[in-house]
Amino acid sequence: MPSERLSPEHLKRGTPAYRCATLALFCAGFATFAMLYCVQPLLPSLAGHFGVSAAISSLALSLTTLSLAFCLLVSGALAESWGRKPVMVSALATASLLGLACVWADSWHTLLVLRALLGLALSGLPALAMAYVGEEFEPESLPAAMGLYIGGTALGGLLGRLLSGLLSDIGGWQLALGGIAGLGLLSLGLFAWLLPRSRHFSAQPLSLRGLLGNFARHLGNPVLRNLFIQGFLLMGGFVALFNYIGFRLAGEPFGLSSTVIGLLFVVYLAGIFSAGWAGRLVPRFGARAVLQGGVALMLCGVALCSAPWLIAIVAGLALFTLGFFAAHAVASGQVGKHAAGAKAQASALYLCAYYLGSSVIGYVAGYVWEHSGWLPLMAVLAALFVLAGWRARAL
């Protein structure tokens, strides 16, 4: 539905305007996470092609998320003056083109530079999408809308990994990266057409003092600080497990191919379900209980992934993913609820911590895997999630 036909009121669940907006945000979440994480099942192939170690190969993802984390602070601040939709459309277009450019990378360092630039481009999307939801949807519809957006990120993570593994076996990692970038361009077209323009956004004049003041106010809010810590711990542990599960399953005694490893990411379907489900449970049970329940599921998943049997590992990945997306949907929704103004900057701080966890913990976990093995890595991840569950009591 074209934006000019939409009601100026806040978007309400069940209306055509709500369906248009949530579908557009679903497309944005899908494209962002497909391009971001499509390299994850390719890490063993990239390590072999470029002659680098497992930990070094993880830089293809860690540098992207690190660039994304820091640039989120800038894009989130600029969006308070420039608006929501124009910045998000530009970000998605630039990221898709950079994804295509990765196909022609002829050296490891060139690929890393392009992936870092892709993270920079994508920084204009996640925080703004979260801020858009917080501003444009009525409070009763906000948890479900955020759940649908997070569901789009889950589907993007699933298909990005699944298709890249399949395309890699057909035509190598170049075909995999090019195919995912093509899906990003398709999502861009749908997003630009479907998303209504912002109707409740109030532009702020560009002022360094004002921007820094907003960051200081958000960091001074103890509830928001706790949510930022949740993002760091949960996302860091989540990415660490999925970074190295491919190496675990490609080696003995499993010996799985890239396609089969990619198929394991079908467990992301659990995340699509749990993100929306968790959003609907918050009004009934409270944010703390739902968040802690998600963390408990993640711990059960880690325990099963420690087993030496493939069926237990698959079940563990499913539980782990179910718990992560439930916890993330709750935490990200609470950021918009507790931020007093400048919601894009509050979302940017949450996502900065979120992607810093992905970069730092995802990279460091590679050394645990290489030097100590799988079970010590699982023990480290379990400790992170116990800490996250303990911190959630402050909500």
Side-chain angles (χ1 to χ4, degrees):
M1 177 180 292
S3 60
E4 58 267 24
R5 294 172 58 189
L6 298 171
S7 168
E9 300 299 323
H10 283 88
L11 300 173
K12 185 176 181 179
R13 191 176 181 187
T15 63
Y18 175 92
R19 288 192 290 270
C20 269
T22 51
L23 178 57
L25 291 166
F26 188 90
C27 290
F30 169 84
T32 300
F33 274 65
M35 288 189 285
L36 191 61
Y37 290 107
C38 63
V39 296
Q40 211 164 35
L42 303 178
L43 294 182
S45 298
L46 292 173
H49 181 84
F50 291 105
V52 296
S53 68
I56 295 299
S57 74
S58 73
L59 289 174
L61 177 58
S62 292
L63 277 182
T64 310
T65 53
L66 187 65
S67 170
L68 174 59
F70 285 116
C71 293
L72 272 167
L73 300 179
V74 178
S75 61
L78 291 177
E80 300 294 359
S81 300
W82 293 354
R84 308 299 190 217
K85 184 174 179 178
V87 177
M88 288 191 284
V89 169
S90 299
L92 194 51
T94 304
S96 299
L97 294 175
L98 285 166
L100 288 175
C102 289
V103 174
W104 290 279
D106 57 359
S107 72
W108 178 242
H109 292 99
T110 301
L111 180 63
L112 291 184
V113 169
L114 289 170
R115 289 286 300 172
L117 290 174
L118 188 145
L120 186 154
L122 286 177
S123 69
L125 213 149
L128 275 65
M130 290 172 61
Y132 182 96
V133 171
E135 292 166 348
E136 302 300 324
F137 290 81
E138 67 171 7
E140 292 79 8
S141 301
L142 193 152
M146 184 64 77
L148 285 169
Y149 169 68
I150 299 301
T153 70
L155 183 62
L158 163 63
L159 289 184
R161 293 166 167 97
L162 181 64
L163 290 176
S164 65
L166 176 63
L167 292 174
S168 176
D169 278 349
I170 294 172
W173 61 268
Q174 295 94 335
L175 178 62
L177 295 183
I180 299 303
L183 283 178
L185 289 172
L186 177 62
S187 299
L188 166 66
L190 290 171
F191 175 74
W193 181 64
L194 287 170
L195 188 73
R197 62 180 177 83
S198 297
R199 296 179 183 270
H200 301 277
F201 164 71
S202 299
Q204 297 182 10
L206 278 177
S207 164
L208 181 60
R209 176 178 295 180
L211 296 176
L212 293 177
N214 289 336
F215 282 134
R217 185 168 72 253
H218 294 322
L219 290 171
N221 183 326
V223 177
L224 288 179
R225 278 203 312 271
N226 186 54
L227 291 168
F228 301 156
I229 292 171
Q230 291 292 326
F232 180 89
L233 294 172
L234 296 176
M235 183 57 166
F238 180 75
V239 167
L241 178 59
F242 277 98
N243 269 1
Y244 302 105
I245 192 70
F247 290 96
R248 165 76 168 155
L249 297 178
E252 295 297 332
F254 304 105
L256 302 185
S257 68
S258 295
T259 298
V260 176
I261 292 172
L263 285 171
L264 293 177
F265 290 103
V266 169
V267 297
Y268 261 60
L269 292 172
I272 298 171
F273 162 76
S274 69
W277 168 68
R280 291 189 292 271
L281 288 179
V282 169
R284 186 174 177 183
F285 297 105
R288 177 175 60 186
V290 180
L291 179 55
Q292 288 180 321
V295 173
L297 287 175
M298 294 178 77
L299 280 167
C300 292
V302 167
L304 285 172
C305 286
S306 302
W309 309 294
L310 183 59
I311 189 170
I313 292 174
V314 173
L317 288 174
L319 275 180
F320 184 76
T321 306
L322 190 79
F324 170 75
F325 280 101
H328 172 42
V330 173
S332 57
Q334 291 296 301
V335 170
K337 178 179 178 180
H338 290 283
K343 292 182 184 293
Q345 285 182 262
S347 298
L349 281 168
Y350 171 79
L351 291 171
C352 178
Y354 180 86
Y355 289 115
L356 276 176
S358 171
S359 300
V360 174
I361 299 174
Y363 180 67
V364 171
Y367 284 93
V368 179
W369 158 248
E370 287 182 340
H371 298 292
S372 300
W374 186 250
L375 290 180
L377 175 58
M378 293 300 97
V380 169
L381 297 186
L384 291 177
F385 302 140
V386 168
L387 177 59
W390 177 73
R391 291 285 310 184
R393 80 195 193 288
L395 283 177

